[in-house]
Amino acid sequence: MRLGVLDVGSNTVHLLVVDAHPGARPLPAHSHKADLRLAQLLDESGAIGPEGVDKLIETVQGALEAAEDNGVEALLPFATSAVREASNADEVLARVQTETGVELQVLTGAEEARLTFLAARRWFGWSAGKLLVLDIGGGSLEIAYGIDEEPDAAVSLPLGAGRLTAGWLPTDPADPADVRALRRHVRAQIARTVGEFSRFGAPDHVVATSKTFKQLARLTGAARSTDGLYVQRELKRRSLEDWVPRLTAMTADERAELPGVSPGRAGQLLAGALVAEGAMDLFGVETVEICPWALREGVILRRLDQMESE
């Protein structure tokens, strides 16, 4: 069947259309994406304001039209940290459902981590052994570890690249003092979780997903996206550490000129780099391999598993 996954994230609203059936690899058929920056539309009380809700409804309606145009038979709509943590989340969800007919499932941070882990496990297979999976979104950082399809440990931390940029790096270029303060904050948050994972032993393979990690890998020399899904891409901690001071000194416009960096993500790339560097350092990771699949694919795979058992 043709499935559509509607991902209302902190940075973008992304519709991924795939042709899928149980036991087979989902084949991408269409992608429809809109930059919304919900994480940056929160007011001082933590609510998504009227303008932000109107934009969200308009964007969801556009995604629905794209799904219809592409023959989607079933839609899997979900929302992540920006909606989950909004103080008026229930009101926002109700308006979206009333005005578009879409009932967004709000994933918990742990569910995000588990579903992303499932996608990485299916991509790399059982031969990858014990997996440590890192994912930096706009609103949160997900970390998961395990040897099966369900991770032994899964956490979500409020360390998304968009959230941190809005809250900690108000100037462009960033003030070095603000960068140091953010670096301390990021590492303190991550350090609290390391013990929860270290008791399971060292991972056999460390994997990173998300646009932030993909752009950092490309920046440090990984293959371009046009070279295809099956080219191995890695991000080395030493290369990343060399880039952090350079990103600090650049404006967002200057970062947007770098290879693989999109204008829409350039402003938050520094915060993402600090999170990636902190996670790799504190977990003792020298190299991560970039996984093309992430949360959306995890949602699809879980749905296919449910179909197979029905």
Side-chain angles (χ1 to χ4, degrees):
M1 67 187 304
R2 179 157 280 196
L3 291 175
V5 179
L6 180 59
D7 175 1
V8 177
S10 298
N11 283 320
T12 61
V13 175
H14 189 171
L15 171 72
L16 176 64
V17 178
V18 299
D19 291 319
H21 64 269
R25 176 175 63 91
L27 295 174
H30 180 74
S31 178
H32 175 87
K33 188 185 298 185
D35 286 328
L36 192 57
R37 310 286 174 195
L38 271 180
Q40 298 176 24
L41 295 176
L42 300 178
D43 61 24
E44 292 182 358
S45 70
I48 301 174
E51 181 183 354
V53 179
D54 289 343
K55 286 182 179 178
L56 174 58
I57 290 169
E58 180 183 347
T59 305
V60 169
Q61 192 61 55
L64 282 178
E65 293 171 3
E68 181 180 331
D69 290 345
N70 284 275
V72 168
E73 300 172 58
L75 187 68
L76 308 176
F78 67 90
T80 56
S81 64
V83 173
R84 179 173 69 235
E85 296 169 13
S87 60
N88 61 337
D90 291 342
E91 176 189 333
V92 172
L93 294 169
R95 273 201 62 194
V96 170
Q97 185 172 5
T98 298
E99 299 191 32
T100 69
V102 173
E103 184 177 358
L104 290 171
Q105 177 190 2
V106 180
L107 299 180
T108 68
E111 285 172 333
E112 281 191 61
R114 288 196 294 268
L115 288 166
T116 302
F117 184 89
L118 172 63
R121 169 59 73 195
R122 293 281 178 91
W123 181 268
F124 288 105
W126 298 112
S127 63
K130 293 178 288 186
L131 282 180
L132 175 64
V133 179
L134 307 172
D135 180 284
I136 302 171
S140 58
L141 163 69
E142 275 69 51
I143 308 169
Y145 175 101
I147 196 167
D148 298 318
E149 292 200 335
E150 275 291 319
D152 296 311
V155 300
S156 178
L157 302 174
L159 298 177
R163 177 202 297 268
L164 295 179
T165 301
W168 291 80
L169 303 177
T171 63
D172 185 30
D175 185 323
D178 291 337
V179 175
R180 287 193 297 272
L182 176 55
R183 184 178 186 273
R184 288 193 298 270
H185 170 73
V186 164
R187 286 172 176 256
Q189 291 278 317
I190 295 172
R192 293 174 187 167
T193 72
V194 171
E196 183 176 343
F197 291 88
S198 60
R199 63 193 178 93
F200 294 106
D204 298 308
H205 198 57
V206 184
V207 173
T209 71
S210 76
K211 191 72 170 179
T212 294
F213 270 114
K214 289 176 182 176
Q215 291 192 343
L216 291 171
R218 176 72 186 101
L219 189 62
T220 57
R224 298 170 298 181
S225 59
T226 53
D227 292 336
L229 286 179
Y230 302 107
V231 176
Q232 184 175 352
R233 296 173 175 87
E234 294 181 338
L235 173 63
K236 296 184 182 300
R237 176 158 57 105
R238 182 172 298 178
S239 298
L240 180 57
E241 289 171 346
D242 290 342
W243 265 98
V244 168
R246 298 166 66 180
L247 293 173
T248 299
M250 292 180 176
T251 65
D253 288 343
E254 289 169 337
R255 291 185 210 128
E257 298 297 321
L258 297 171
V261 179
S262 62
R265 302 270 180 159
Q268 62 187 46
L269 187 63
L270 172 59
L274 291 170
V275 175
E277 179 193 34
M280 292 176 73
D281 188 13
L282 289 165
F283 279 94
V285 175
E286 295 299 327
T287 303
V288 296
E289 184 171 357
I290 306 302
C291 180
W293 282 2
L295 177 59
R296 284 182 289 275
E297 287 77 13
V299 170
I300 293 167
L301 292 166
R302 179 61 52 81
R303 176 62 181 137
L304 292 176
D305 289 348
Q306 291 168 348
M307 289 169 58
E308 200 165 20
S309 64
E310 290 173 354

